[in-house]
Amino acid sequence: MQSPDYQPPPDEALPPETPHKRPLLTDFAALNRPADEADAHWMGEALALAQRAAQRGEVPVGAVVVLDGKRIAGRHNEPIHLHDPAAHAEVLALRDAALHLQNYRLVGASLYVTLEPCVMCAGLIIHSRLSRLVFGAADPKAGAVNSVYDVIARPRLNHAVAWTGGVRAEECGAALRDFFRQRRR
């Protein structure tokens, strides 16, 4: 808590912006890749995990990590059961994938998730050095790929992630709508 007499420094007291050491990526559209048949398959696996979450009373979000055409991890949301606000499907799946590979960098791996990642998960996706993100339903309230925030779509950090949105979006969105409709009854 700041003291009541705190005064922020005037703008001219702030240091000038540090120029980037490498050119900024400006062709953001090049990072958005079209979906393919494999994307629909892996999103189906993420949807199955989302259904498992719903059965346990968790928000139905599922995530699968794929490397070289093989599933190396898959989880669903578990913040209620794990008493952990960070237990999003993406976080848990990326942790499991890192343990599987014995490396926190998941270079070459793709993450399939039924809902557009939030800011926390988008940061983790970048720091894990994932090669690609594929999500189903857009999240108009907290999406951090390109709905509300543009953490992944317009990267400013040291790693850019290729991404595809809207894969089996109707099914992914329906799972969420059905879950919240049931909860409101």
Side-chain angles (χ1 to χ4, degrees):
M1 183 167 183
Q2 296 174 346
S3 67
D5 56 349
Y6 171 79
Q7 294 292 318
D11 285 343
E12 60 272 5
L14 298 174
E17 285 191 37
T18 306
H20 294 280
K21 295 183 179 175
R22 62 185 178 97
L24 287 175
L25 178 65
T26 55
D27 184 13
F28 304 116
L31 292 174
N32 187 0
R33 304 278 160 69
D36 60 27
E37 281 185 40
D39 292 343
H41 168 76
W42 294 118
M43 189 59 69
E45 296 230 356
L47 274 162
L49 290 168
Q51 291 304 326
R52 208 176 299 162
Q55 292 166 357
R56 295 187 73 192
E58 300 276 4
V59 174
V61 177
V64 173
V65 181
V66 175
L67 180 65
D68 298 328
K70 294 182 181 119
R71 176 176 161 172
I72 61 169
R75 295 289 291 271
H76 58 75
N77 270 6
E78 293 191 69
I80 296 168
H81 285 85
L82 296 179
H83 308 289
D84 180 358
H88 291 195
E90 303 94 308
V91 171
L92 299 173
L94 292 173
R95 284 178 180 165
D96 287 354
L99 286 170
H100 174 80
L101 296 175
Q102 291 295 288
N103 192 339
Y104 73 98
R105 291 186 177 199
L106 304 174
V107 177
S110 297
L111 174 68
Y112 293 83
V113 61
T114 57
L115 180 64
E116 179 180 4
C118 68
V119 173
M120 174 184 70
C121 293
L124 179 59
I125 288 165
I126 290 167
H127 288 294
S128 69
R129 305 296 195 269
L130 273 177
S131 294
R132 187 164 179 248
L133 164 69
V134 180
F135 67 89
D139 185 347
K141 293 183 179 179
V145 176
N146 71 339
S147 291
V148 179
Y149 305 102
D150 56 3
V151 175
I152 290 182
R154 295 178 54 96
R156 292 167 186 85
L157 300 173
N158 60 341
H159 178 69
V161 179
W163 62 279
T164 301
V167 175
R168 298 179 70 169
E170 183 53 40
E171 292 170 81
C172 295
L176 289 158
R177 284 189 301 276
D178 292 347
F179 175 79
F180 286 111
R181 189 177 301 123
Q182 291 290 336
R183 300 240 349 200
R184 285 190 288 271
R185 286 185 183 177

